[in-house]
Each structure stands twice: as C-alpha cells, then as structure tokens.
Amino acid sequence: MQMNQEFKPTIVAFCCNWCSYAGADLSGTNRLQYPANVKIIRIPCSCRLNPMFILRAFQRGADGVILCGCHPGDCHYTTGNYYARRRMTLLFSLLDYMGIERQRTRVEWVSAAEGAKFAATMNDFVDTITKLGPNRRLEDLRCKSE
Amino acid sequence: MQRIGVFVCWCGSNIAATVDVVQVAQALAKEPGVVFATDYQYMCSQAGQDLIGAAIKEHGLTGVVICSCSPRMHETTFRKTCQKAGLNPYMVEIANIREHCSWIHKDKPTATEKAVILGRAAIAKVHLNAPLTAGTSPVTKRALVIGGGIAGIQTALDIADAGFPVDIVEKKPTIGGKMTQIDKTFPTLDCAACILTPKMVDVSQNEKIDIISYAQVEKVQGFVGNFSVTIRKKARYVDESKCTGCGLCTEKCPQKKVPNEFNLGLDTRRAIYIPFAQAVPKVATIDPDYCSMLKSGKCGVCAKVCAAGAIDYKQQDELITREYGAIVVATGFEPIGMDKFDEFAYAQSPDVVTSLELERLMNAAGPTGGTLLRPSDGTHPHTLVFVQCVGSRCDGGEKGKPYCSKICCMYTAKHAMLIRDKYPDTEVYVFYIDVRTPGKNFDEFYRRAVEEYGVHYIKGMVGKVTPQDGKLKVQASDLLGGRQLHIDADMVVLAAAIEPDKSARPLATMLTASMDTNDFFTEAHPKLRPVESPTAGIFLSGACQGPKDIPETVAQAGAAASKVIGLLSKDALTCNPCTAQPDELKCNGCSSCENVCPYGAISYIDKPFRGPNRTTLIRRVAQVNPAVCQGCGACTVACPSGAMDLQGFSNKQIMAEVDAICR
Ligand code: FES
C-alpha cells in the first residue's frame, strides 16, 4: 500500500437482521449517504457475533469493526443483545491488552426506524478510523496475497 | 465444488444508475465456482424469475447469488423461484446492492467496486451453504387462556366459536375480572354488569369452553403447537359438581367478619362465600384463612345446611396437566397500592378512596346499594375532590409508574358526571395534569362533564390532604389561575395508576415470554404484531400488554383469538430450518448453551458412543429441538468447545464473508 495515497479503511459492519440491518436498509431507502468502505454482514442477532469474527476481520486486514444490534430490551430474541454486550466488553478489553486501539471496535444500537442514526454512526466511525490510520498490529501478512 | 450462478439486477435505474451492473456481472463471473453470470432489468419480475429458473436447469447450478435489493424484500421470492427450478431454497444468497450500495453512493466507480465486493462475499458464503429442509411439528388443537376477565372471556368465546376447545384458568373463584366491579362504562354509560354477565353465561354454557376457576398455572413445558401445562386447582372445600349455588351456606356461616374483596374491603362477607350473585361458576368457596372448621375443627354449619352435600372439608389441591397448541395471556391489571402516597391521607381517612372503591360505592350491588355515602359516617358527601394521575406519569420516582394509565381521565369524567347527575347539590373538583381523551366520543364525553354537568376541572396538583373535624382539607395549586386553593372536601377520590397483575411476572418466566421494565408483556412487534408475544405460540390479550379500556381490550382479545385460530387450524407447523445444531462429538455437555437459550430449545440426553475396545461410553450431549429454536445463535457463541453452529449462518459461512470483504 502506498502511504501517500489517501487512506481508505476497510470496515466490516455486523448488523442483526431484525433492527440494524433494517435500519441500514432504511438509510438506503432515504438515500442517506455514508462511505462505501463500510460493508455490512447480516447476522440473525447481535448475539450471533462470535468474537472470533472480529479477530478474523482484523487479521485479514480490516481497519475497523462495528457491531450493530437492537436497542437493549428490543432484541427480537429478547436477550441476545445483552449477551452480545457482555461478550464485546470482554473482547474489547482483550483487544486493549493486545494494543489494538479502542476506537477500532464499536457497538452501537440501531433500531429499524433509525436510518439516520445508522448513516450518522457509519460516517462517524469511518471518520474515526481514517484518522487512526491502517490497522497494522493484528494484520497477518501471511494472509495477504500480495 | 459448487456450480454457482450470479444474477445481477438493475432494478430499473435504481441500481443501474450508480452501479455498472454489466461490469459487476463480468467481475463476479471470474470468481471461483461461478459458472454463469448475467444481469437483467428486473430480476424479481416473472421474466427475471424465469431467467433464473432456466439458468439453474441449463447450467446445473447448485448455488445462486442474486445481487439485488435487500433480502428483507425479496429473499422469499427468490427462494421460491429456485425451489420451483428444483434447487434447494436455502442455496440462495442475496447481495444487497441497492439499499446498501446504489442508493447510498453517488460515485459510480466506487459503488461498482463495492457491489463487486458484496457479490464476492455472497459467493463465498454460498459455497458453504448446505441444503436445508424445514421440518414440521404437529399441533395440539386446544387453547389455554390464562385469566378470565373480559379479555380472556372474549378470546375464549371467539376461539370456541371457530370450533376449537379452550380452557380458561382463573385464579379467583369466579370469572369476570375487574369489569364485574365496575358500575357504568364510559363513554356510553351503559352498565358493565349488563354487558358482561351475559358473556359470562355464554362461557359457562359453551361446550367447547372449560372453566378452571380458583386455579393457577404452575408449570409450562413444550413449545408452539405442543405445550404441556400443569394447573393447580386450589381446594375450595366444596364439590363443584354438587353445589347448586343456592347460597344458603353463605347466609348461615357464623363467621361474618371477613373483609369482602369483591367490594374492596368496604364491607364484609362470610367465610364461605360466592363472590357475587352472577358469579360463574356459581359455586361456594370456603376461605381457609377464616373458616373455623378448617382451622380448629369446630363448626361445620355449612355442611349441615347444605342439602346437596357439597361441602368437603377434606378436599385437596388438584393438579391438572393438559396439552395445548397455543396459550393466551390475559392476566389483566390491578390498581397500584396507595401506601406510598401518604400526602393523600388514604390510610388515615376512610373517606379517601380509590376510583375502583368509588365504583363499588356507586354500584347498586355494592355495599351501600348504590347510594353514594361517606364510608366514615354514612352521610351524603357534598364536596368531592378527584385527584388524577396518582402514581401515573411519575418519572424516575420510586413512588409510581412512568407511563400514563390511559383510562383514568375517562373514568374520572364518568364518575364526576354520574355524581353531578344523581346529586346536583354536590360540588365536584377534578385536579389534573392533562386531560387525555383520545378515543371515539371521548372528548365529547369529557366536555359534557365540564359544560353540561358543571364539573370544576382545575389544572394543578393536590399537594396535601389532611383529615380535620370530619372534613378533608385539600391543599392544591391552580396552575392556570396561578393561586393556591384550599378546599374542605367530604370525600377525596384517587385515580390510582394501574399496573400488571402480580401473577404476570412469574407467569412470564414460565412461558419464557418477554416483559418490559414495567412488567407488561412485550409484543412481537409494536405495530405489526401487537397481540403476539415474541415467543411463538404465546398470545397477548388485554391489559397484560399495556393499559387499555374495555373496547380496546375486546378488540385485542378478538385479534389474539384470530391468531390462535390461525395457528390451531394448521395440522402441522413448518419450522425455520436455520436452527442451531450441535456437533455431538465436540459437545462436552457443559450446559453453557442451555443457559443462554431464550426459548428453552436445548436439552440434554445421555447418549451411547462407541468407546475403545468395544466398550460403550455414555455421554451427556446437547440436543436442539428444531421446532423451538428460533435461530438467534446465542448458543453458538456461548459454546466453549465450538460444538454448536447455526445452520444458514454457520461460523464458516460468516468467516468466509469476512475474508471476502477484507480481501
Ligand atoms: S435481534 Fe437485533 S440484537 Fe438480537
């Protein structure tokens, strides 16, 4: 990667099917812009997010990972996001320990009606990561083809 | 290796305007496993679907990726298309290049590049898809309604009407609920008993309905279509099949000092009692807390006078276990206790009453025969003060509830109007925060109270009520007049907030149905699925879901019944095949998954495995009931040995997507 080129981070967003994925759909329906660096992966519920997926994303060169789920109390499966919240807290402290900047990961609650919040969140997250620069610490160069 | 077909949709210009669809199709054609890639204007149209079907057959596709609008939109459409063409419907993945791409980006090259990446991720996932078949489970064609108030009654009648048997479990000795205690109903002022009691009779005469009164649900097992419920029918010490409801025992019982809960303790009843004349079932019940025969073995008057020989002092609680296909929760509400509201002197003066107590004081079948008299001295009150929102709309406080109880504004207008109508010599003051009258003919009704009946509505709060010389000194503020008011009242009526019945919380735990912070049951979707609980097979009727008036309750009861009928009219249920599945060889039986499962879908069995040297090892392994599992995936992450995986969203599939995106 050429450093003097404008840095375009790779960002993976995990969205639960019932609220946040629908919220992302809504921000599309309302034509609310956010950068193309964000790629969304649909999961049934935020509690489906195995911390391994985040580590894997970083290892493969993602610069930021965000998890979006239903607001606490609104999870389609009642309690899923509470589990997710606890697991992520734990994972984040591990990432901290490993020296991964805290800002590279985020959990955000976005309801199906919050298209605007989704877009705003993504804009802000992309901004933060762009300022932070590329993720080097966890990137596994063996995974890179070039 | 899969043989994958990629279909890129233009969605007219919705996608094609910002994404170069031809280029996307060409780029994705180079991905491993892709044997066919094309673009078309409207994939979801008949012609588009035909194109997909033809390609599946022609190229022998084993997996399909459709780059189009959100899967929330057309996933089912495309699954059906593929199924028709002979491909397993779960071999389809959708790349959302409209809502998540073309609609949010303006720059064509960037959007095209992103569309390609999203397509790649979908291809990577489809490589790992496995054909899934939705299983089925049978449906027990009987419904259980928990709660026999107007909500439960209406639900049961509607279900029975459609030909399905229903059981009503009621914790009191009679069905009827709170509505039996109400005098008149707003905004029509028709008498509650006159519209409710015929329905209660209908219930008792309906062959399809079985009333299990004086009973409580004790255990719930199973899942949608197949619940097994244990009900504890408390001993009433009277044989229901023999008792004729003549009431002789309730006149002869020497224990006269029992507070009568039906009249909210405003008068007394006997130790053996029938709650009220129109009770259903009309059967006497002995109150074991007061019956001298049960307590000390001395008395037995009721047994002596009972010609039918129905009294049975030795009766025991009975446990009934039955199978149901659907469960309706109709546990209703109760007014909150007034003990935290010292400022209104509820505990100090009997002349400070709650609105429900006032209903009894105004009811012809109540303790005063319908004449409004002060509970303290039996005199006619001349000045009445109504306090609104007692315990409602209290934010953050320990004292009350944050929500609006919804019905208080209207019943207070009704009380004020009825009192002014019957006793024109009274002065009636209503202190309110806001008057809320959203409902058919509600505002007209309230305005009549003010304009026609001259009720004094004052915006402001009552600060303190002090009993003094037989009067109640009311200190209040008049916000609009900007002054302090001192009123010498004869009676003060508190519009107590309503809260869910106390039995609701333990019941919710048994049903694994979710509740909000106020203990109201949550609905599956606040707008689109208002009468279903998120837990499949559990339905909500009436005030257990939120404060409601009678028409709303009846409407919701009917809606819940129609959902139940829809469920019970099926012979078998199709299950969602995207369920969790344990790898028995990796499972170590630790119960981590069982603990996080919100549906109780996971159980354990001891299973024989082949051990070394022809031995058999018995190991405890997890089992998922696919009919109950909703596919959230909580267990897959909780499993420490990685034995649990979610079909359709497996670890490998999601990892493949991650890899494709980060490539
Ligand atoms: S379904 Fe959205 S967080 Fe569980």
Side-chain angles (χ1 to χ4, degrees):
Chain A
M1 184 186 291
Q2 285 161 317
M3 266 327 276
N4 41 9
Q5 224 183 339
E6 197 199 336
F7 168 56
K8 285 250 172 61
T10 303
I11 286 163
V12 181
F14 290 96
C15 292
C16 86
N17 181 42
W18 302 97
C19 279
S20 306
Y21 195 88
D25 279 0
L26 185 66
S27 81
T29 313
N30 294 341
R31 314 292 198 275
L32 303 170
Q33 314 244 325
Y34 57 86
N37 325 24
V38 179
K39 313 283 188 306
I40 296 172
I41 295 181
R42 181 164 73 130
I43 48 178
C45 170
S46 59
C47 70
R48 176 65 188 96
L49 187 74
N50 197 318
M52 293 281 288
F53 302 160
I54 296 186
L55 294 176
R56 173 80 156 217
F58 281 134
Q59 193 186 24
R60 293 285 154 137
D63 302 297
V65 180
I66 181 165
L67 166 64
C68 300
C70 313
H71 284 270
D74 289 351
C75 169
H76 182 77
Y77 307 98
T78 326
T79 45
N81 45 10
Y82 295 130
Y83 295 131
R85 185 163 63 183
R86 284 197 223 163
R87 286 170 191 157
M88 290 309 116
T89 319
L90 202 64
L91 174 73
F92 293 166
S93 61
L94 171 75
L95 290 175
D96 249 355
Y97 174 73
M98 289 161 67
I100 306 293
E101 299 88 336
R102 181 63 191 78
Q103 298 101 295
R104 287 202 194 275
T105 41
R106 199 184 275 191
V107 176
E108 202 73 55
W109 312 124
V110 180
S111 82
E114 293 175 329
K117 180 175 179 190
F118 187 84
T121 307
M122 290 308 148
N123 278 315
D124 182 68
F125 192 55
V126 173
D127 245 26
T128 315
I129 302 295
T130 313
K131 285 201 196 101
L132 215 56
N135 147 43
R136 279 286 153 74
R137 220 174 280 260
L138 208 60
E139 186 186 30
D140 185 344
L141 294 175
R142 288 169 307 178
C143 301
K144 291 270 160 183
S145 29
E146 284 93 7
Chain B
M1 187 69 146
Q2 305 267 27
R3 296 176 58 80
I4 297 168
V6 177
F7 302 85
V8 186
C9 180
W10 298 27
C11 194
S13 64
N14 281 307
I15 294 173
T18 22
V19 170
D20 187 336
V21 283
V22 180
Q23 203 184 317
V24 172
Q26 280 169 359
L28 294 180
K30 298 197 192 90
E31 288 296 307
V34 176
V35 294
F36 179 75
T38 189
D39 56 271
Y40 185 72
Q41 268 179 331
Y42 290 104
M43 277 300 170
C44 59
S45 69
Q46 194 53 55
Q49 293 190 45
D50 290 347
L51 184 150
I52 299 172
I56 292 175
K57 289 189 187 131
E58 196 186 320
H59 299 276
L61 302 181
T62 59
V64 165
V65 167
I66 295 169
C67 302
S68 63
C69 55
S70 171
R72 296 175 55 87
M73 193 90 182
H74 276 313
E75 190 169 54
T76 10
T77 318
F78 292 125
R79 280 189 175 157
K80 279 196 194 125
T81 313
C82 292
Q83 194 167 26
K84 266 190 225 144
L87 186 67
N88 183 285
Y90 293 90
M91 296 307 291
V92 179
E93 286 300 327
I94 307 234
N96 184 348
I97 60 164
R98 192 177 76 175
E99 281 86 345
H100 292 186
C101 187
S102 72
W103 274 353
I104 44 171
H105 306 312
K106 285 220 171 85
D107 179 46
K108 203 161 180 176
T110 329
T112 308
E113 192 195 322
K114 179 170 175 182
V116 172
I117 296 178
L118 293 177
R120 262 189 215 150
I123 294 170
K125 187 177 181 194
V126 120
H127 266 295
L128 299 162
N129 276 23
L132 302 177
T133 337
T136 56
S137 64
V139 179
T140 311
K141 294 182 183 283
R142 175 182 277 269
L144 171 67
V145 174
I146 305 171
I150 179 64
I153 289 175
Q154 187 63 47
T155 311
L157 283 172
D158 287 352
I159 297 173
D161 231 12
F164 296 107
V166 194
D167 292 351
I168 299 180
V169 172
E170 168 58 50
K171 68 173 179 191
K172 300 245 171 70
T174 171
I175 59 167
K178 290 285 176 301
M179 194 172 162
T180 54
Q181 293 172 301
I182 295 173
D183 182 34
K184 299 229 162 44
T185 57
F186 60 78
T188 46
L189 297 183
D190 39 3
C191 124
C194 318
I195 50 182
L196 177 64
T197 47
K199 274 197 185 291
M200 291 164 60
V201 175
D202 284 353
V203 169
S204 71
Q205 289 175 349
N206 196 314
E207 289 166 4
K208 296 267 178 204
I209 304 179
D210 196 359
I211 303 171
I212 309 174
S213 59
Y214 210 45
Q216 238 154 353
V217 171
E218 194 148 285
K219 194 160 132 208
V220 180
Q221 281 176 308
F223 50 90
V224 54
N226 294 279
F227 294 107
S228 165
V229 181
T230 307
I231 299 157
R232 176 177 292 271
K233 191 164 169 38
K234 286 183 277 183
R236 68 201 310 161
Y237 306 103
V238 173
D239 187 336
E240 272 184 50
S241 57
K242 290 188 190 154
C243 176
T244 57
C246 68
L248 193 60
C249 53
T250 66
E251 285 160 25
K252 295 287 188 268
C253 173
Q255 178 50 271
K256 298 178 185 172
K257 290 266 156 54
V258 188
N260 182 359
E261 53 281 274
F262 182 67
N263 283 333
L264 301 155
L266 293 166
D267 65 354
T268 53
R269 60 164 169 79
R270 310 291 172 107
I272 184 165
Y273 65 108
I274 296 174
F276 52 93
Q278 300 83 5
V280 170
K282 197 163 180 195
V283 174
T285 305
I286 297 182
D287 188 336
D289 294 342
Y290 292 93
C291 172
S292 348
M293 186 65 187
L294 289 174
K295 279 167 68 180
S296 57
K298 290 189 208 95
C299 183
V301 171
C302 48
K304 275 182 215 125
V305 300
C306 182
I311 310 290
D312 174 7
Y313 298 117
K314 297 230 160 56
Q315 203 175 58
Q316 298 283 324
D317 286 7
E318 190 189 341
L319 288 179
I320 306 168
T321 303
R322 281 196 191 157
E323 314 293 318
Y324 300 99
I327 299 177
V328 182
V329 182
T331 44
F333 71 94
E334 56 194 43
I336 64 168
M338 285 293 103
D339 39 336
K340 284 189 191 143
F341 298 90
D342 279 343
E343 64 270 36
F344 301 125
Y346 179 78
Q348 285 95 295
S349 168
D351 295 334
V352 181
V353 297
T354 64
S355 299
L356 195 57
E357 287 164 2
L358 184 72
E359 291 285 351
R360 297 313 302 153
L361 291 173
M362 288 167 68
N363 191 302
T368 55
T371 325
L372 180 60
L373 298 173
R374 299 207 321 157
S376 61
D377 53 8
T379 56
H380 167 58
H382 292 277
T383 310
L384 288 101
V385 169
F386 285 83
V387 187
Q388 294 284 271
C389 296
V390 178
S392 296
R393 305 171 68 191
C394 302
D395 34 30
E398 288 267 282
K399 258 172 112 172
K401 305 284 172 184
Y403 51 84
C404 164
S405 296
K406 198 166 184 178
I407 54 175
C408 325
C409 284
M410 289 306 290
Y411 68 58
T412 299
K414 170 191 78 178
H415 288 154
M417 196 187 264
L418 289 173
I419 291 171
R420 285 281 299 154
D421 187 51
K422 214 165 164 191
Y423 311 104
D425 61 326
T426 50
E427 288 296 334
V428 176
Y429 298 88
V430 177
F431 286 91
Y432 66 94
I433 309 179
D434 299 293
V435 178
R436 296 184 165 176
T437 54
K440 193 171 170 182
N441 293 329
F442 282 15
D443 201 58
E444 292 87 329
F445 184 79
Y446 152 66
R447 284 210 308 267
R448 258 172 65 210
V450 179
E451 287 157 17
E452 243 173 76
Y453 289 90
V455 178
H456 307 296
Y457 267 79
I458 299 167
K459 188 178 173 78
M461 292 296 288
V462 170
K464 198 160 177 52
V465 176
T466 329
Q468 209 175 66
D469 314 326
K471 288 269 181 193
L472 296 163
K473 302 247 178 236
V474 178
Q475 278 174 42
S477 56
D478 171 3
L479 285 181
L480 297 180
R483 56 195 170 131
Q484 286 295 314
L485 291 178
H486 295 273
I487 299 171
D488 282 347
D490 299 310
M491 277 181 81
V492 170
V493 185
L494 307 176
I498 60 178
E499 64 180 354
D501 193 87
K502 297 274 182 300
S503 63
R505 174 59 69 179
L507 183 66
T509 317
M510 276 187 259
L511 296 170
T512 62
S514 58
M515 286 191 138
D516 63 17
T517 46
N518 298 312
D519 281 6
F520 285 114
F521 281 86
T522 358
E523 54 283 2
H525 188 284
K527 299 190 178 55
L528 304 177
R529 295 171 67 195
V531 299
E532 294 156 77
S533 157
T535 307
I538 311 287
F539 301 88
L540 311 175
S541 175
C544 67
Q545 180 257 351
K548 272 183 199 65
D549 63 11
I550 297 166
E552 278 179 318
T553 299
V554 172
Q556 202 197 15
S562 80
K563 290 283 169 196
V564 171
I565 296 163
L567 172 63
L568 297 189
S569 53
K570 293 192 185 120
D571 292 322
L573 297 174
T574 319
C575 318
N576 165 24
C578 295
T579 51
Q581 222 177 21
D583 179 341
E584 287 178 347
L585 293 177
K586 287 189 194 155
C587 176
N588 61 14
C590 72
S591 284
S592 303
C593 52
E594 191 187 11
N595 293 337
V596 296
C597 179
Y599 304 98
I602 302 174
S603 57
Y604 281 85
I605 52 157
D606 289 323
K607 207 174 167 178
F609 286 86
R610 229 177 66 202
N613 303 329
R614 302 181 178 225
T615 51
T616 312
L617 289 174
I618 306 288
R619 279 180 43 223
R620 188 177 126 92
V621 287
Q623 268 209 322
V624 176
N625 184 339
V628 189
C629 175
Q630 304 283 315
C632 66
C635 55
T636 59
V637 187
C639 178
S641 53
M644 271 291 177
D645 212 347
L646 187 63
Q647 306 190 88
F649 290 95
S650 69
N651 288 335
K652 282 200 175 134
Q653 284 175 307
I654 299 175
M655 293 277 207
E657 283 181 276
V658 170
D659 290 358
I661 287 172
C662 299
R663 190 159 75 180

